[in-house]
Amino acid sequence: MRAQQLAWRHADGWQGETANSGADLVLYFGARASLSSGERFDELRAMFPQARIVGCSTGGQIQDDDVSDDDVSALAIGFDATRVKATHADISGPDDSRACGQAIGRSLGAPDLAGIFVLSDGLNVNGSKLVAGIVDVVGEGVPVTGGLAGDGAQFGETLVGVDCAPRSHRVAALGFYGSAIRVGHGSAGGWDVFGPRRRINRSTGNVLSELDGEPALDLYQRYLGEEDAKGLPGTALLFPLQISHPDQPEHQVVRTVLAIDREARSMTFAGDVPEGWTAQLMRGNFDRLAAAAGDAARQAFSGGGDQGDGVAILVSCIGRRLLMGQRITDEVEAAGAALGCKTRRIGFYSYGEISPHAVSGHCELHNQTMTVTTIREIRG
């Protein structure tokens, strides 16, 4: 297995290990403004004519210990004994999410399927239903990881590309096949809960209408205060919602806001917020967030096999980045320390993270987490 890192900057163009070493897969992540023209894809295609090229827009790019806004980060991977298949499906809106996931599952399903990595439109999807649709077809034994594309704090449009210029309303997925590949995964949050537990009284899919009989948007605005409430939905990223099934309180997932409806007083989240579940507001602590990133990396590294060098794909939430500001490199460095210097790292800040749950093992959508996917080949 071989990996080459590249970065594109406005002033310099592409820099790094640009020699074509027979790459089978190129992953790239960049700001919407840097990707929308399609020129970055065309340049990568010229450099790597035989590779599958998959990428998305973000809320910031990760390359090793660096986090950038305007650059484009790329990683070219060549495999020795692994087959890679890329597929995609277009999605018109959240109601299509499960069917979209099932179509991807059918396209990638095979007896030797070892893992799936997904990049999805971040605004026109219900991430919970998308992942459930994939698992419907391939089963719980295949790890599904990845994330929802981002658009910084703008929430205007997100882009995903698979062997073409990136575009909105698209879901891309990669399947990894064979006995040599090892896919590790880890996910952790590090947020602190505060305030009372509340019951989700009224919701439809990923649209939350009432908590404890009160309009959801009214509750959020009260906690945010008048000034921060003007910046919704972006300011709600600093106060995610932890939800849990009343009969399984240890199975907790975090949800973050994608959109609000001021007239209906409702909030749309990246994944399902089921009626009858309990919900509690959260806030961040820098040290705990960084420590959780290291924990996610250790989970992934321990599950990815111990032979040979590898790569790691870090998908963290835009809410973590907005909260941590200049200290955002703390979480990237913590993940890097756990992964070791031989693991090439790339990633992005997202509108939702996809990974098996650390407790249940069930593949699902997370928010406000750091998720890490490691990919290695064992030596025969």
Side-chain angles (χ1 to χ4, degrees):
M1 183 174 171
R2 304 161 304 283
Q4 304 168 232
Q5 287 180 308
L6 305 89
W8 178 90
R9 297 178 177 85
H10 285 282
D12 306 315
W14 288 101
Q15 302 291 316
E17 306 160 273
T18 56
N20 184 356
S21 62
D24 301 297
L25 171 64
V26 177
L27 295 171
Y28 69 96
F29 307 116
R32 174 164 61 96
S34 300
L35 301 183
S36 58
S37 70
E39 293 178 9
R40 304 292 82 76
F41 166 77
D42 291 339
E43 292 158 358
L44 288 170
R45 173 54 72 210
M47 285 188 281
F48 302 98
Q50 304 302 318
R52 311 312 303 261
I53 301 177
V54 179
C56 70
S57 64
T58 78
Q61 295 72 249
I62 299 169
Q63 193 164 63
D64 288 334
D65 286 340
D66 294 328
V67 178
S68 64
D69 284 310
D70 299 323
D71 302 346
V72 180
S73 297
L75 184 69
I77 306 170
F79 294 101
D80 295 319
T82 298
R83 181 170 66 91
V84 180
K85 180 179 180 180
T87 190
H88 75 271
D90 291 334
I91 185 166
S92 61
D95 291 345
D96 295 337
S97 299
R98 191 160 201 142
C100 180
Q102 291 170 339
I104 287 171
R106 287 191 293 271
S107 177
L108 296 179
D112 61 343
L113 177 63
I116 295 175
F117 184 79
V118 179
L119 295 176
S120 170
D121 182 297
L123 295 173
N124 301 288
V125 68
N126 179 326
S128 299
K129 293 290 194 295
L130 175 70
V131 177
I134 297 173
V135 174
D136 285 345
V137 178
V138 303
E140 292 281 1
V142 177
V144 181
T145 64
L148 309 187
D151 184 27
Q154 300 175 65
F155 291 87
E157 182 183 44
T158 62
L159 308 175
V160 175
V162 51
D163 291 332
C164 68
R167 61 191 64 176
S168 64
H169 294 269
R170 175 148 291 186
V171 179
L174 294 164
F176 299 93
Y177 303 83
S179 59
I181 193 77
R182 295 292 183 271
V183 178
H185 51 81
S187 177
W191 294 78
D192 297 320
V193 295
F194 72 100
R197 292 179 181 269
R198 302 176 185 275
R199 182 179 177 84
I200 299 174
N201 301 118
R202 189 157 62 90
S203 65
T204 304
N206 61 336
V207 179
L208 175 61
S209 299
E210 287 185 4
L211 287 167
D212 279 354
E214 181 177 359
L217 187 55
D218 290 357
L219 175 68
Y220 254 84
Q221 288 182 326
R222 188 165 69 248
Y223 273 95
L224 291 177
E226 185 176 350
E227 281 303 309
D228 285 341
K230 295 177 182 177
L232 287 168
T235 47
L237 293 169
L238 305 180
F239 296 93
L241 203 65
Q242 177 179 278
I243 64 172
S244 58
H245 193 288
D247 297 329
Q248 297 175 300
E250 75 285 350
H251 185 168
Q252 301 159 344
V253 293
V254 181
R255 292 288 178 255
T256 197
V257 177
L258 293 181
I260 62 170
D261 187 328
R262 294 189 185 275
E263 183 175 344
R265 314 305 295 164
S266 65
M267 308 181 76
T268 299
F269 289 79
D272 281 349
V273 281
E275 288 185 359
W277 285 39
T278 59
Q280 197 168 12
L281 285 165
M282 307 181 79
R283 57 191 168 199
N285 171 286
F286 291 171
D287 292 336
R288 279 175 44 77
L289 292 172
D295 183 36
R298 283 186 288 273
Q299 294 172 34
F301 192 77
S302 65
D306 58 1
Q307 295 188 52
D309 301 340
V311 302
I313 310 168
L314 282 59
V315 183
S316 187
C317 184
I318 183 63
R320 299 168 71 92
R321 180 152 196 226
L322 293 176
L323 177 65
M324 296 183 77
Q326 294 298 315
R327 289 192 60 182
I328 195 61
T329 55
D330 290 359
E331 73 163 6
V332 178
E333 290 172 356
L339 292 166
C341 60
K342 291 185 178 181
T343 302
R344 302 287 185 95
R345 286 172 281 135
I346 192 173
F348 68 99
Y349 285 86
S350 74
Y351 285 175
E353 305 81 58
I354 298 170
S355 177
H357 193 280
V359 175
S360 70
H362 178 69
C363 295
E364 58 187 293
L365 177 85
H366 306 266
N367 291 128
Q368 303 287 6
T369 61
M370 166 69 85
T371 64
V372 180
T373 302
T374 56
I375 300 173
R376 284 181 167 78
E377 283 187 305
I378 62 170
R379 299 188 182 101

